[in-house]
Amino acid sequence: MGDWAGYLTLILAGTWVTIKLTVMGCAVALVVAFIAGLGRVSRHATLRWLSTGYIEFFRGTSIFVQLFWIYYVLPLIGVSMTPMQAGVMALGLNVGAYGAEVVRGAILAVPRDQYEACIATNLTRYQRMRHVILPQALPLMLPTFGNNAIELLKATSVVSLISLADMTFQAQVVRSQTGNTIVPFVTILILYFILSSLISFGMRYLERRASRGAEGVR
Amino acid sequence: MDAPIIRINDLSKSFGKLTVLNGLSFDVMKGEKLALIGPSGSGKTTILRILMTLENISGGRIEVCGEPLFHMHRNGQDVPADEAHLHKMRRHIGMVFQHFNLFPHKTVLQNITLAPTLTKGEKRIDAEKRARELLDMVGLADKADYMPVQLSGGQKQRVAIARALALSPEIMLFDEVTSALDPELVEEVLQVMQRLAVETDMTMLLVTHEMGFAREFADRVLFFDQGRIVEAGPPEQIFQAPQEERTRTFLRKIIASRHGM
């Protein structure tokens, strides 16, 4: 049984890598989602085109290919990254493209009334977005952001392909060293489920907090 | 009431192929209380929306406080106004909407203080003091920390009036402000407006279907039909001795529908 403790430690080390990838990937995705999402509703055609191009490209190609490009092709033009950096970039840019559409949709879902009230009270475009539109759009984004975060968590396993020792990679290691498939893969199944549940609970907590104002309870 | 504060000259407005206003001209004097009445689709709400710059114009010219609203002078020529010019011109004008359009994520007090602190650089403490005075004036001093969703329609509309007043506009536009209210809540809003009409020298433009109120409130009434002024005059004339057949028909219908209720 002593061996299994060692293998479990290995998998838990991989879990830590998975958590780091998820957290940093989500951070990148969130920033990118807001930049591209706001770009999509910008009044400048150039920004709209750039954002649309980014979104369509990253939604329309596989994350696997994107990761290989970032890790193996970009160094050829002088941009080299560690496996962790490449993983975070690929995950963040990929999920950020989906998130950008969520940001755009939520902004467009804020009623026209609110834009008109902003004009009537003479807010500038920036003030309108910052103080009126985004605060109302944010609660609309949260449920889908939760889904995106879970998608990102599950997508982290692709980084095992560029030899980053995440949870899935470590399970493969254990499998090849012990010849046992069931134990390592049941272990990471449970661990993935725990991590995604944590994200779900966290998002639900944020949703409850965000909807308080709208329900009139302070 | 010395000089016109609003001059509308040959104004036209189309939405696609639909012409809403065509060759419309009238002036509004400083301090005047003007009621715009007429059947639905006659263009009266569109006029208010244009004055608030919520809609652009298709043709003609509007001057507010002596300056063109949708034009500006560049190198001796009139060119379409940019956002900065519109921003400057909007300082003269405030608007109250049919559906209140309060900010649902802000408290009543924040609804009122948001714009003055952001656009006029008022200190928060000053803006809040003024907001509480305004809330007191509209009879809602005890609701400062409520969220809009906790208020009745009449209360929301009174907050919306206070929000517009907080920016101290010279011109106030009221767009069917009681149309979305339950009948028993109409009176509380009208009382506030009546008080404003009597106690301030603000220029006020009112689009309404409340003929009784228009009569009490207005110095002058414009009756609109199909984007044109059919008849204009003091309320006594329009309501007691209308000169035009269209006006008489419209007023008869309104009275009939009120009695039918």
Side-chain angles (χ1 to χ4, degrees):
Chain A
M1 276 319 280
D3 283 355
W4 284 116
Y7 291 132
L8 185 63
T9 316
L10 205 60
I11 287 179
L12 287 178
T15 309
W16 179 235
V17 172
T18 296
I19 291 172
K20 278 200 288 193
L21 278 167
T22 306
V23 171
M24 290 194 280
C26 282
V28 171
L30 192 65
V31 172
V32 170
F34 271 93
I35 293 172
L38 289 169
R40 280 281 267 142
V41 297
S42 165
R43 67 206 153 96
H44 297 293
T46 324
L47 288 179
R48 284 201 304 273
W49 276 104
L50 282 173
S51 306
T52 309
Y54 155 73
I55 291 166
E56 293 307 329
F57 179 79
F58 276 89
R59 287 198 311 181
T61 58
S62 104
I63 188 166
F64 176 84
V65 179
Q66 291 159 13
L67 181 68
F68 270 55
W69 265 82
I70 290 174
Y71 190 61
Y72 291 114
V73 181
L74 286 190
L76 301 178
I77 56 165
V79 186
S80 54
M81 295 187 201
T82 65
M84 178 57 96
Q85 286 168 339
V88 167
M89 283 308 283
L91 290 164
L93 289 175
N94 182 275
V95 175
Y98 291 91
E101 287 295 272
V102 177
V103 170
R104 167 177 166 268
I107 286 172
L108 295 181
V110 175
R112 223 190 129 63
D113 276 9
Q114 294 292 309
Y115 288 85
E116 297 191 343
C118 291
I119 293 175
T121 50
N122 209 8
L123 303 189
T124 62
R125 285 200 172 95
Y126 169 78
Q127 289 166 344
R128 183 202 307 170
M129 197 47 90
R130 159 82 180 74
H131 295 279
V132 177
I133 305 301
L134 279 182
Q136 293 182 65
L138 214 53
L140 306 175
M141 299 175 198
L142 286 177
T144 324
F145 274 171
N147 285 341
N148 290 353
I150 290 171
E151 287 296 329
L152 191 145
L153 163 70
K154 293 186 293 184
T156 54
S157 62
V158 301
V159 300
S160 58
L161 296 167
I162 55 167
S163 74
L164 195 55
D166 79 316
M167 208 150 75
T168 303
F169 184 88
Q170 301 291 44
Q172 291 279 18
V173 169
V174 174
R175 176 170 172 259
S176 63
Q177 287 186 8
T178 63
N180 185 326
T181 305
I182 294 179
V183 176
F185 276 84
V186 164
T187 311
I188 67 166
L189 190 84
I190 293 168
L191 285 170
Y192 274 118
F193 186 71
I194 291 172
L195 291 180
S196 74
S197 302
L198 285 176
I199 294 175
S200 287
F201 286 129
M203 292 311 283
R204 244 173 262 161
Y205 170 76
L206 286 178
E207 278 172 51
R208 268 202 307 279
R209 278 200 50 163
S211 61
R212 266 183 211 169
E215 280 157 18
V217 187
R218 291 191 73 218
Chain B
M1 283 197 205
D2 34 357
I5 191 166
I6 302 173
R7 308 194 76 144
I8 297 178
N9 193 7
D10 199 25
L11 172 67
S12 59
K13 173 68 186 173
S14 312
F15 296 100
K17 282 183 181 169
L18 178 73
T19 302
V20 182
L21 302 172
N22 193 4
L24 179 72
S25 301
F26 66 91
D27 290 352
V28 184
M29 295 296 158
K30 195 167 177 351
E32 195 175 14
K33 321 294 178 214
L34 189 69
L36 284 64
I37 62 168
S40 302
S42 59
K44 47 199 195 316
T45 286
T46 304
I47 294 167
L48 295 198
R49 292 177 55 82
I50 286 173
L51 286 170
M52 193 65 254
T53 70
L54 297 172
E55 308 281 354
N56 210 332
I57 57 177
S58 307
R61 192 180 172 85
I62 299 175
E63 280 180 21
V64 172
C65 300
E67 271 192 272
L69 183 60
F70 288 101
H71 302 88
M72 52 187 194
H73 300 297
R74 279 287 151 82
N75 308 323
Q77 285 194 321
D78 262 4
V79 295
D82 59 13
E83 185 65 24
H85 178 81
L86 292 177
H87 187 72
K88 190 183 77 181
M89 293 305 289
R90 284 180 198 130
R91 286 165 191 254
H92 299 300
I93 307 167
M95 182 162 181
V96 184
F97 297 90
Q98 181 177 0
H99 296 285
F100 333 123
N101 301 16
L102 294 179
F103 304 128
H105 60 300
K106 304 254 176 218
T107 65
V108 164
L109 195 73
Q110 290 166 342
N111 260 277
I112 302 172
T113 57
L114 182 71
T117 49
L118 289 178
T119 66
K120 298 180 114 183
E122 277 183 30
K123 286 209 193 77
R124 194 190 160 109
I125 187 159
D126 298 332
E128 285 187 358
K129 184 166 169 284
R130 169 106 170 105
R132 287 184 196 282
E133 286 167 12
L134 288 167
L135 280 176
D136 192 43
M137 192 205 78
V138 300
L140 293 172
D142 55 333
K143 301 280 193 257
D145 296 322
Y146 280 51
M147 300 305 282
V149 73
Q150 296 171 289
L151 304 179
S152 73
Q155 291 170 334
K156 280 182 196 163
Q157 197 58 295
R158 285 184 280 155
V159 173
I161 293 172
R163 179 176 71 177
L165 290 173
L167 289 162
S168 315
E170 294 141 271
I171 302 164
M172 275 278 271
L173 312 172
F174 297 92
D175 183 21
E176 302 198 28
V177 292
T178 57
S179 300
L181 299 180
D182 292 336
E184 74 271 20
L185 302 177
V186 169
E187 196 52 37
E188 65 189 46
V189 174
L190 295 184
Q191 273 171 9
V192 168
M193 291 168 62
Q194 185 66 48
R195 232 184 107 186
L196 280 178
V198 174
E199 292 177 8
T200 72
D201 59 356
M202 257 187 310
T203 308
M204 295 164 79
L205 273 70
L206 169 82
V207 166
T208 187
H209 293 292
E210 300 278 339
M211 293 306 143
F213 182 68
R215 189 173 176 165
E216 263 183 78
F217 168 92
D219 304 318
R220 189 157 62 111
V221 180
L222 303 184
F223 172 67
F224 279 83
D225 195 22
Q226 297 179 344
R228 290 170 179 279
I229 298 171
V230 175
E231 187 167 354
E236 301 78 40
Q237 175 199 324
I238 301 287
F239 293 112
Q240 278 164 351
Q243 309 291 302
E244 299 288 332
E245 183 51 38
R246 279 291 302 132
T247 318
R248 281 195 285 271
T249 320
F250 172 74
L251 290 172
R252 259 203 308 277
K253 270 190 199 151
I254 287 266
I255 289 162
S257 74
R258 284 297 132 96
H259 282 290
M261 263 162 55

